[in-house]
């Protein structure tokens, strides 16, 4: 897969709300567990971040995805080791709760 295709695929993944929230949540969880942000390699090599088997995502796409997330304002701390984190803009846009009406009864639950 060439660079143009990798960039296009990375943009599609970042544009996918479900994938993006899963990836950002993985970064949030890493920060909570370790007390610092993940390295780019930790993110690229985590098989739980990707929507397809890790082996099927090209190395070029895995390398391109973080700069795309950062350029779109979803990540901060990209230039300092171990400081990668969800951006404040992304945090404020994160859905906190979803409500659904089932019949006449409303059920609310967190999206964690």
């Amino acid at each position: 897969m060439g660079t143009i295709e990798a960039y296009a695929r990375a943009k599609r993944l970042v544009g996918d709300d479900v994938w993006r929230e899963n990836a950002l949540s993985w970064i949030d969880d890493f920060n909570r567990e370790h007390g610092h942000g993940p390295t780019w390699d930790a993110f690229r090599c985590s098989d739980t971040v990707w929507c397809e088997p890790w082996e099927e995502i090209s190395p070029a796409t895995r390398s391109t995805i973080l700069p795309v997330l950062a350029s779109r304002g979803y990540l901060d701390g990209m230039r300092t080791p171990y400081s990668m984190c969800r951006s404040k803009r992304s945090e404020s846009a994160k859905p906190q709760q979803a409500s659904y009406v089932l019949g006449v009864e409303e059920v609310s639950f967190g999206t964690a």
Side-chain angles (χ1 to χ4, degrees):
M1 177 179 282
T3 304
I4 293 171
E5 294 88 0
Y7 182 70
R9 185 149 189 212
K11 283 178 26 181
R12 281 192 305 274
L13 284 171
V14 171
D16 179 327
D17 293 340
V18 173
W19 182 88
R20 185 181 61 244
E21 183 56 35
N22 180 54
L24 294 172
S25 292
W26 184 90
I27 293 168
D28 294 341
D29 293 343
F30 188 99
N31 271 299
R32 275 191 297 277
E33 184 177 333
H34 299 281
H36 59 76
T39 62
W40 285 33
D41 279 342
F43 181 87
R44 284 192 298 246
C45 294
S46 171
D47 57 358
T48 60
V49 170
W50 307 102
C51 56
E52 299 171 22
W54 184 84
E55 299 81 15
E56 293 181 24
I57 305 295
S58 76
T61 298
R62 290 193 308 267
S63 293
T64 305
I65 201 83
L66 287 170
V68 172
L69 281 165
S71 71
R72 296 207 175 166
Y74 295 109
L75 291 178
D76 285 334
M78 296 293 291
R79 294 178 185 241
T80 307
Y82 306 109
S83 64
M84 182 177 17
C85 62
R86 181 191 295 259
S87 72
K88 297 299 179 197
R89 176 187 139 211
S90 175
E91 185 64 37
S92 64
K94 186 169 115 178
Q96 295 300 315
Q97 216 175 51
S99 295
Y100 295 93
V101 176
L102 303 173
V104 293
E105 186 177 10
E106 183 175 314
V107 178
S108 295
F109 55 94
T111 56

